[in-house]
């Protein structure tokens, strides 16, 4: 059974760093892209970026390029989303998700993690 | 502002059908039919219900169907049930963002 299990909720202050995780199991972790989707309070879903654990290749949405870092450790089948300096506007629910690619584009997202709530407040 | 436009809300009574639109997808002649739909119950992980415009993953009831005409994709939920009450998001690729974009979401209420 494919599972994406995310790390727990985080409460941080502005300016702090943070790294949240998503552990994949039940499939060949290095053979599928995995990525992160943001949902701000009361808002819709937004793709942040994806990574291919097989070669660590990454693709970011323009809005998130340079704002976050997506990485993966294939030895422990875990993907990460990292901030170096959090802002209050980073307060959101973050989902990891497994996109299925076709012709270089995302045809569907077939599995999702349970979400990690990040609250940034002073 | 999302590149894909959905109505913010939709509603129907149990047993009825409701259709949710998603405008701004690629036109029919582009050769790319990568429109997908997701059901999201608050507090839970989103769930894939339609992909490649009209395909249903195994386990998704055939009450859910998808279609596309021109640059507008549609999700139809037939025989509405109480458990269908959720937020629904379309997703497709759009221009400069090669990861694709989500629509703004539609809150479906079962009256």
């Amino acid at each position: 059974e494919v599972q994406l299990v995310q790390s727990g909720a985080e409460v941080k202050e502005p300016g702090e760093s943070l790294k949240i995780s998503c552990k994949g199991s039940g499939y060949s972790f290095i053979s599928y892209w995995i990525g992160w989707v943001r949902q701000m309070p009361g808002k819709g879903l937004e793709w942040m970026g994806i990574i291919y654990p097989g070669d660590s290749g990454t693709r970011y949405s323009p809005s998130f390029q340079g704002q976050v870092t997506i990485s993966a450790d294939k030895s422990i089948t875990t993907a990460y989303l990292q901030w170096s300096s959090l802002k209050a506007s980073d307060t959101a629910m973050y989902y990891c998700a497994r996109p299925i690619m076709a012709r270089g584009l995302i045809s569907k997202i077939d599995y999702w993690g349970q979400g990690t709530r990040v609250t940034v407040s002073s | 502002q999302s590149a894909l436009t959905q109505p913010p809300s939709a509603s129907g009574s149990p047993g009825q059908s409701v259709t949710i639109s998603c405008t701004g997808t690629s036109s029919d002649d582009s050769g790319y039919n990568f429109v997908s739909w997701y059901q999201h119950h608050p507090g839970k992980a989103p769930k894939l219900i339609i992909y490649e415009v009209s395909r249903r993953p195994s386990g998704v009831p055939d009450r859910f169907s998808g279609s596309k005409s021109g640059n507008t994709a549609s999700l139809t939920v037939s025989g509405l049930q109480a458990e269908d009450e959720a937020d629904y998001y379309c997703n497709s690729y759009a221009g400069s963002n090669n990861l694709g974009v989500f629509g703004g979401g539609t809150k479906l209420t079962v009256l």
Side-chain angles (χ1 to χ4, degrees), chain A residues 23-66:
Chain A
K23 182 171 177 61
S25 63
Y27 71 101
S28 174
F29 185 74
I30 61 171
S31 301
Y32 290 83
W33 291 83
I34 187 166
W36 294 91
V37 175
R38 183 177 77 174
Q39 184 175 35
M40 297 177 75
K43 302 296 184 181
L45 304 173
E46 303 172 86
W47 264 118
M48 301 177 73
I50 58 175
I51 187 166
Y52 190 73
D55 61 9
S56 295
T58 53
R59 291 165 62 176
Y60 291 90
S61 286
S63 301
F64 294 95
Q65 181 80 49

Side-chain angles (χ1 to χ4, degrees), chain A residues 39 59 61 95 103 109 112-113, chain B residues 31 38 40 45-46 89 97-98:
Chain A
Q39 184 175 35
R59 291 165 62 176
S61 286
Y95 293 98
R103 288 183 279 175
I109 305 160
W112 296 73
Chain B
Y38 302 87
H40 190 202
Y89 293 91
N97 186 346
N98 61 10

Side-chain angles (χ1 to χ4, degrees), chain B residues 9-81:
Chain B
S9 63
S11 63
S13 299
Q16 288 187 331
S17 294
V18 65
T19 296
I20 298 169
S21 61
C22 172
T23 301
T25 61
S26 61
S27 60
D28 288 336
D29 62 357
S30 71
Y32 295 98
N33 281 322
F34 297 146
V35 179
S36 53
W37 290 89
Y38 302 87
Q39 178 190 64
H40 190 202
H41 289 104
K44 292 191 158 186
K47 175 186 175 184
L48 174 68
I49 53 173
I50 294 288
Y51 68 100
E52 292 178 11
V53 176
S54 59
R55 297 186 176 205
R56 262 189 322 275
S58 62
V60 173
D62 60 6
R63 302 186 295 103
F64 293 90
S65 62
S67 62
K68 183 165 170 281
S69 178
N71 71 341
T72 298
S74 298
L75 171 71
T76 297
V77 186
S78 306
L80 273 174
Q81 298 181 4

Side-chain angles (χ1 to χ4, degrees), chain A residues 41-121:
Chain A
K43 302 296 184 181
L45 304 173
E46 303 172 86
W47 264 118
M48 301 177 73
I50 58 175
I51 187 166
Y52 190 73
D55 61 9
S56 295
T58 53
R59 291 165 62 176
Y60 291 90
S61 286
S63 301
F64 294 95
Q65 181 80 49
Q67 307 303 307
V68 296
T69 301
I70 293 172
S71 60
D73 185 337
K74 56 189 176 185
S75 69
I76 55 172
T77 66
T78 299
Y80 301 97
L81 175 64
Q82 183 174 2
W83 295 260
S84 58
S85 181
L86 286 161
K87 302 184 283 286
S89 57
D90 294 316
T91 294
M93 180 72 86
Y94 293 89
Y95 293 98
C96 69
R98 191 180 83 165
I100 300 300
M101 311 297 283
R103 288 183 279 175
L105 300 174
I106 294 174
S107 74
K108 61 182 176 181
I109 305 160
D110 60 354
Y111 289 96
W112 296 73
Q114 81 279 17
T116 295
R117 186 171 300 282
V118 174
T119 302
V120 184
S121 174

